[in-house]
Amino acid sequence: MATETRPIGVQDWATRSHPVFSALPPLSLYIHLPWCVRKCPYCDFNSHEARGDIPEDAYIDALIADLEGALPSIWGRKVISIFIGGGTPSLFSDAAIDRLLSEVRARVALLPDAEITLEANPGTFERARFAGYFAAGVNRLSLGIQSFSDAHLKALGRIHDADEARLAAESALMIFGNVNFDLMYALPDQTTADAARDAEEALAFAPPHLSFYHLTLEPNTLFHRYPPALPDDDTAADIEDTIHAALDAAGYEHYETSAHAKPGRACRHNLNYWRFGDYLGIGAGAHSKLSFPQRIVRQIRYKQPQQYLSQVTQRAPVLEETEVTRDDVGFEFMLNALRLTDGVPTSLFAERTGFPLSLIARDVDEATRRGLMEPDPLRLQPTARGRRFLNDLQTLFLRAKPDRPAAHANVIVTSASDRGR
Ligand SMILES: C[S@@+](CC[C@H](N)C(=O)[O-])C[C@H]1O[C@@H](n2cnc3c(N)ncnc32)[C@H](O)[C@@H]1O
Ligand code: SF4
């Protein structure tokens, strides 16, 4: 007897071109606030020097209109975390953040225990706002310390000194408790002893979370055009080993390439990225990845703050929208999952991509054969060697296509976001 519909057979499952989800992935919300006092010479984020006053009210209005326009794409879904990133979100007043979060809460179903992080810089007047942010509902502060050395802060073009960083660290911990410090290493002229002192000083505050990023020279930055004297590869490796050993000894779990946390204090928002969860990004230049029953979509919003503001009034803030194809999804999933020290359960691949594991089985076998992935059929997990050569490992999952030559592959891998979006 002929039927109109039929269950998906083995053949369809293996060859179809669109994903099929049994349940949509967890959803996070990212909110981008794009202004900074001054552009740092190493920074490739969508951040813009604030010349004059920030149009605080107009920008919050735009974010709310942007969110309203995006609501149909997340109907009925619960939001597990919010990350207010930048730029320098702490340039916004606590009253503005309070209004923003109240308006968000009125429009989306936020889990009662949702993690709500705000990025703050350690300047004096930002610090005065910490209590107000906490009262507004922010329950996690991510503080851009970068280094506790005045000389290195200066070399990085930071506008705060080490004492301001210390004071900000103290008040953040007192008010929020739940705090992350961002630090960078392999800084201009940095020695292993300098980096060890930075790690030691950060650890003396015992924050629940520490992110230590290897300073990279990103295209389109001043450091890329005029490279400073950076430690050579051997010294950089030595610095990295020293920092990791100090953090391990202090009881931090090195759970992701650059992230270290006390047990149970991993960043839930970033974990959702690395586990290929969904995120709606609103604000200038924000990125989104959203799943629908039969497709996965990526969006980028207009980057220039003024253009974003005017596009929102025309109800068209999205600059670019692309569908994640069957050819790309394996690489995109592994690009994230392999950053996690423990990797992910094998079953997560089908759950989050909507495709069977057979899509990447050959590449997993190859990675395992080369000693870059653990031979555990229940986990997709990098080995210690795989973590050290993460770029090579991730590249194995890239499908070579005529329109994507190998050189482009490197760009994708090295510029992949590991610092929140
Ligand atoms: C969104 S950014 C900036 C947050 C905040 N505005 C600040 O500067 O403190 C988050 C973190 O990425 C890191 N970061 C930025 N540019 C980097 C680079 N070129 N290489 C490595 N880490 C970088 C810094 O540690 C920074 O705190
Ligand atoms: S590193 Fe932070 S403060 Fe510096 S320009 Fe980038 S976003 Fe702004």
Side-chain angles (χ1 to χ4, degrees):
M1 191 178 75
T3 48
E4 286 296 327
T5 55
R6 61 193 173 97
I8 294 172
V10 174
Q11 185 74 22
D12 301 330
W13 177 241
T15 58
R16 67 182 154 65
S17 61
H18 60 81
V20 173
F21 293 100
S22 47
L24 293 179
L27 175 68
S28 295
L29 175 65
Y30 176 78
I31 304 178
H32 193 73
L33 307 186
W35 288 283
C36 295
V37 173
R38 199 164 73 199
K39 183 83 182 171
C40 301
Y42 55 85
C43 175
D44 73 331
F45 282 88
N46 185 37
S47 56
H48 303 264
E49 216 162 280
R51 301 200 176 87
D53 286 342
I54 291 172
E56 196 173 82
D57 290 339
Y59 194 75
I60 302 285
D61 288 345
L63 288 172
I64 295 157
D66 189 355
L67 177 61
E68 288 221 312
L71 285 179
S73 60
I74 57 163
W75 267 161
R77 297 179 65 181
K78 294 226 159 52
V79 169
I80 63 156
S81 63
I82 299 180
F83 196 102
I84 306 176
T88 306
S90 51
L91 289 183
F92 278 64
S93 66
D94 39 351
I97 299 299
D98 185 46
R99 180 159 82 91
L100 173 62
L101 287 177
S102 309
E103 301 285 3
V104 167
R105 273 197 205 90
R107 286 166 179 80
V108 303
L110 194 58
L111 283 189
D113 67 340
E115 178 188 86
I116 305 180
T117 305
L118 180 130
E119 269 182 350
N121 283 26
T124 310
F125 79 102
E126 283 110 330
R127 202 170 67 235
R129 294 171 167 165
F130 288 178
Y133 296 144
F134 185 70
V138 174
N139 52 30
R140 183 172 182 271
L141 201 79
S142 179
L143 203 53
I145 301 238
Q146 317 310 348
S147 170
F148 287 101
S149 139
D150 279 334
H152 286 121
L153 289 171
K154 199 155 172 240
L156 291 170
R158 298 292 289 182
I159 57 170
H160 60 88
D161 62 18
D163 277 340
E164 278 179 309
R166 289 180 190 111
L167 287 170
E170 254 168 43
S171 6
L173 283 161
M174 205 164 61
I175 293 166
F176 290 87
N178 196 9
V179 174
N180 165 58
F181 294 172
D182 277 348
L183 277 92
M184 294 189 291
Y185 64 90
L187 306 179
D189 293 318
Q190 191 178 42
T191 62
T192 304
D194 295 335
R197 265 194 302 277
D198 266 353
E200 198 183 310
E201 187 147 2
L203 288 171
F205 288 98
H209 197 286
L210 271 165
S211 301
F212 259 95
Y213 299 109
H214 188 150
L215 175 68
T216 48
L217 299 186
E218 302 288 350
N220 301 318
T221 62
L222 212 63
F223 270 11
H224 197 259
R225 207 166 334 136
Y226 307 106
L230 296 178
D232 60 34
D233 287 352
D234 284 347
T235 313
D238 203 31
I239 287 178
E240 187 172 288
D241 290 346
T242 303
I243 292 172
H244 291 173
L247 271 57
D248 287 355
Y252 287 77
E253 290 167 354
H254 184 187
Y255 70 101
E256 185 268 346
T257 309
S258 312
H260 308 253
K262 291 273 183 68
R265 308 307 289 271
C267 175
R268 284 189 251 155
H269 184 88
N270 287 342
L271 270 180
N272 196 36
Y273 293 150
W274 297 319
R275 291 179 178 152
F276 214 56
D278 275 3
Y279 48 97
L280 170 66
I282 58 170
H287 292 226
S288 305
K289 180 222 144 208
L290 294 168
S291 306
F292 300 88
Q294 296 206 337
R295 61 197 189 109
I296 305 174
V297 168
R298 288 197 181 276
Q299 292 179 339
I300 305 177
R301 279 158 165 70
Y302 280 87
K303 293 196 167 87
Q304 292 295 329
Q306 284 311 326
Q307 199 178 8
Y308 168 76
L309 285 167
S310 87
Q311 288 296 134
V312 171
T313 47
Q314 295 167 51
R315 297 173 195 271
V318 176
L319 167 70
E320 215 178 285
E321 180 166 302
T322 47
E323 213 161 296
V324 179
T325 65
R326 178 190 165 95
D327 276 343
D328 294 331
V329 77
F331 171 68
E332 293 198 13
F333 180 91
M334 294 303 274
L335 188 64
N336 286 286
L338 290 170
R339 300 186 61 88
L340 294 169
T341 310
D342 291 341
V344 294
T346 306
S347 56
L348 199 74
F349 183 84
E351 236 173 78
R352 296 288 157 86
T353 65
F355 284 97
L357 188 69
S358 56
L359 205 62
I360 54 161
R362 252 195 5 225
D363 305 324
V364 172
D365 286 348
E366 176 63 17
T368 309
R369 200 184 56 75
R370 292 197 203 176
L372 299 170
M373 280 179 72
E374 298 289 354
D376 180 350
L378 297 180
R379 292 202 80 76
L380 296 167
Q381 184 179 6
T383 56
R385 181 179 159 79
R387 293 201 301 276
R388 190 158 277 266
F389 299 102
L390 186 59
N391 238 7
D392 296 341
L393 172 55
Q394 288 165 325
T395 306
L396 283 181
F397 293 87
L398 198 58
R399 290 274 167 281
K401 288 197 295 181
D403 61 338
R404 182 186 286 166
H408 186 46
N410 276 333
V411 175
I412 296 175
V413 175
T414 52
S415 67
S417 162
D418 62 343
R419 304 175 229 127
R421 273 277 167 221

